[in-house]
Amino acid sequence: MTKPKIVVLGAGYGGLMTVTRLQKMLSQNEAEIVLVNKHDYHYETTWLHEASAGTLHHDRVRYAISNVINRSKVKFVQATVENIKPNENKVVLNNGELDYDYLVVALGPESETFGIKGLKEYAFAITSVNAARRIREHIETQFATYNTEKDKKEERLTIVVGGAGFTGIEFLGELTNRVPELCREYDVDFQKVRIICVEAAPTVLPGFDPELVQYAMEQLQKKGVEFRIGTAIKEATPDGIIVAKGENETEEIKAGTVVWAAGVRGNSVIEKAGFENNRARVKVEEDLRAPGYNNVFIVGDCSLVINEETNRPYPPTAQIAMQQGVVCAKNIVALLKGQETQKFVFDNKGTVCSLGDDDAIGIVFGRKLKGTKASFMKKVIDNRALFMIGGLSLVLKKGKFKFF
Ligand code: FAD
Ligand code: NAD
């Protein structure tokens, strides 16, 4: 008898959580499990702002997928998913095709540019290890070459961060720790550096606790960040950005580096595959299946789950992606055994936003935290994510232990 074939697309938080749970719950005879990912490594997307600023080496934010899968149960395929044909139970890869009995789509997010002109060409986005490496190298090059240029253009030392959501703020936290190091290394006067955060909403971290937001802003301002609140980026150019000023006017901000951190959408494969979607995110059924497809599950940033209390979607986070991975694995096993699937219920444990390696703000189990306590908690959360997927050995290899 042929074994049912489970194909999982994406080895991020949602995909790896699903696979590591499936490999614990199923024997070799019960199913064939195939994991597909673009690279042979997993990266901690939640640490990419550190690699982008250069405060953490990119090798620290990734690990080999082979470290956490049981290769006697899971076949790993390194490939890029180009399309899914859900009516034919097929996945199209850059190097072939795969068929499946059960599919889990966990391809993660893409940067949302809202169609703003020039962003794709002239701005960076914190989306992967390779993107983080490019940002770090670009910023370092600006500092390294500043003194070697005849005209010493100071714009070269201006870094614009678009968006003051959690990604923008966490990146600024790292950047403000990294810039003094770069100044020392390349003999650059710190006073010449500008770090400008442009946020369209009337506040940074819209919707977050105002007292903690105030703390975060003050801490970052002390380290040199200029906030341009209530200001929307309209265009990116080779020389910087154009922002809206008043009703009809615009202003140019010249900058050597523009990092766009103003939002995410789901993976474009979702749109190509023809799933009903909202900005490449599929509003999944209660048990995480795609509407209309009994054998397709969607987890992580490609899925959309409604918070029944607010009637709005939960923000896409690693926390929800990992919880979905657990339920998705259980539901696949239930289907294999002819049992009922279970409803996914998000258990929100809180949010912690780092402000560099040594500072943070957060609300955890309803308690407000800031400073070293919050920073400690952030590292506990980072280590917990490693533990959930790779156990203690992965925490010992990749964990964060500099608590104070
Ligand atoms: P990911 O973890 O991004 O994984 C997607 C995987 O799919 C990757 O391995 C990718 O290489 C692979 N892939 C993509 N496209 C293809 C393709 N076409 N073919 C093959 N493989 C492909 N959330 C929190 O809860 N807490 C935090 O502190 C936090 N901090 C963050 C900090 C930053 C800087 C950023 C950018 C995000 C942060 N988030 C945080 C959000 C969180 O990272 C995402 O919600 C989470 O990564 C989503 O998990 P996922 O499994 O859907 O996708
Ligand atoms: P976001 O959507 O949360 O924030 C984007 C910000 O950009 C918003 O404040 C928005 O007003 C602003 N913006 C949008 N268009 C703009 C424009 N034209 N000009 C200037 N500003 C503009 O996106 P994010 O910060 O990338 O976060 C993505 C997801 O990842 C969220 O769900 C977030 O909760 C999660 N995340 C969580 C953490 C954490 O828990 N520590 C860290 C990073 C990201």
Side-chain angles (χ1 to χ4, degrees):
M1 216 175 86
T2 55
K3 292 186 278 187
K5 184 167 169 185
I6 307 164
V7 173
V8 179
L9 307 179
Y13 294 102
L16 268 193
M17 201 66 201
T18 306
V19 165
T20 51
R21 292 296 154 127
L22 281 175
Q23 71 188 11
K24 279 189 192 137
M25 286 190 278
L26 293 170
S27 71
Q28 267 167 299
N29 301 327
E30 283 173 300
E32 182 186 350
I33 306 170
V34 180
L35 172 64
V36 182
N37 197 61
K38 220 183 248 185
H39 311 285
D40 60 359
Y41 57 82
H42 159 93
Y43 49 79
E44 297 291 302
T45 308
T46 60
W47 304 10
L48 287 178
H49 55 291
E50 297 170 68
S52 302
T55 47
L56 195 65
H57 192 271
H58 55 265
D59 281 338
R60 280 292 315 280
V61 313
R62 62 177 172 177
Y63 55 81
I65 289 167
S66 58
N67 279 353
V68 293
I69 58 171
N70 177 340
R71 276 172 285 175
S72 65
K73 289 186 182 176
V74 179
K75 181 179 170 209
F76 175 65
V77 174
Q78 185 175 349
T80 300
V81 177
E82 292 185 342
N83 204 353
I84 300 164
K85 296 181 179 168
N87 295 321
E88 298 171 37
N89 290 353
K90 263 195 184 17
V91 177
V92 182
L93 307 175
N94 64 323
N95 53 7
E97 282 195 348
L98 270 178
D99 52 14
Y100 61 83
D101 296 301
Y102 296 94
L103 182 71
V104 180
V105 186
L107 292 169
E110 287 177 11
S111 173
E112 174 61 283
T113 58
F114 305 108
I116 296 173
K117 202 174 150 195
L119 279 178
K120 283 200 177 125
E121 294 82 359
Y122 306 118
F124 295 95
I126 304 172
T127 48
S128 64
V129 162
N130 288 334
R133 194 160 25 195
R134 279 194 295 274
I135 298 172
R136 186 203 70 205
E137 283 172 4
H138 176 84
I139 294 175
E140 184 147 359
T141 303
Q142 303 310 301
F143 281 75
T145 52
Y146 173 71
N147 278 321
T148 63
E149 301 281 310
K150 262 199 197 127
D151 53 353
K152 292 198 180 173
K153 282 192 186 149
E154 286 185 13
E155 300 93 79
R156 190 177 280 266
L157 303 175
T158 299
I159 303 167
V160 165
V161 177
F166 287 104
T167 301
I169 292 296
E170 290 202 324
F171 179 59
L172 286 166
E174 299 301 323
L175 205 54
T176 50
N177 284 351
R178 177 69 179 141
V179 161
E181 289 176 2
L182 288 170
C183 288
R184 275 195 298 277
E185 199 162 333
Y186 296 106
D187 297 326
V188 170
D189 178 1
F190 180 74
Q191 300 305 323
K192 293 199 170 14
V193 181
R194 288 181 77 192
I195 303 174
I196 306 171
C197 176
V198 181
E199 167 56 53
T203 168
V204 310
L205 298 175
F208 204 56
D209 181 88
E211 185 197 329
L212 296 176
V213 168
Q214 178 75 20
Y215 173 84
M217 273 186 84
E218 282 168 11
Q219 293 297 91
L220 293 172
Q221 278 165 334
K222 266 190 234 159
K223 291 177 164 182
V225 177
E226 298 168 40
F227 283 100
R228 297 284 301 266
I229 305 299
T231 306
I233 295 184
K234 292 288 174 201
E235 190 180 336
T237 69
D239 300 323
I241 53 161
I242 313 277
V243 298
K245 202 176 173 195
E247 294 253 306
N248 302 314
E249 280 175 53
T250 56
E251 178 193 341
E252 183 183 20
I253 301 177
K254 291 198 170 182
T257 309
V258 178
V259 177
W260 175 250
V264 291
R265 66 201 318 278
N267 194 296
S268 47
V269 167
I270 291 282
E271 292 166 314
K272 258 201 235 165
F275 293 110
E276 203 180 311
N277 71 86
N278 179 1
R279 297 203 285 137
R281 299 179 71 199
V282 178
K283 188 171 161 209
V284 287
E285 304 284 6
E286 285 187 341
D287 63 2
L288 302 174
R289 277 187 277 187
Y293 297 99
N294 280 333
N295 59 346
V296 179
F297 289 81
I298 304 190
V299 298
D301 281 19
C302 290
S303 72
L304 197 148
V305 177
I306 300 292
N307 177 346
E308 285 168 7
E309 280 171 24
T310 60
N311 206 24
R312 288 173 58 85
Y314 285 113
T317 60
Q319 185 182 180
I320 196 166
M322 292 178 81
Q323 290 183 20
Q324 287 178 318
V326 175
V327 172
C328 175
K330 282 186 189 160
N331 283 346
I332 291 175
V333 173
L335 290 178
L336 291 178
K337 295 187 171 165
Q339 296 163 352
E340 293 276 304
T341 56
Q342 62 169 256
K343 178 179 173 177
F344 172 73
V345 181
F346 178 44
D347 175 16
N348 189 353
K349 298 188 188 328
T351 303
V352 181
C353 174
S354 65
L355 304 170
D357 184 46
D358 44 2
D359 200 359
I361 52 169
I363 301 181
V364 181
F365 298 119
R367 269 191 65 203
K368 280 194 216 181
L369 298 173
K370 60 184 176 207
T372 31
K373 272 192 197 154
S375 180
F376 175 88
M377 188 49 77
K378 179 77 178 159
K379 286 167 190 166
V380 171
I381 294 167
D382 286 351
N383 290 343
R384 181 175 178 271
L386 294 172
F387 181 77
M388 300 273 290
I389 287 174
L392 188 60
S393 65
L394 188 62
V395 179
L396 294 174
K397 258 190 224 144
K398 291 285 170 180
K400 293 181 177 172
F401 301 110
K402 189 177 152 261
F403 287 112
F404 298 104

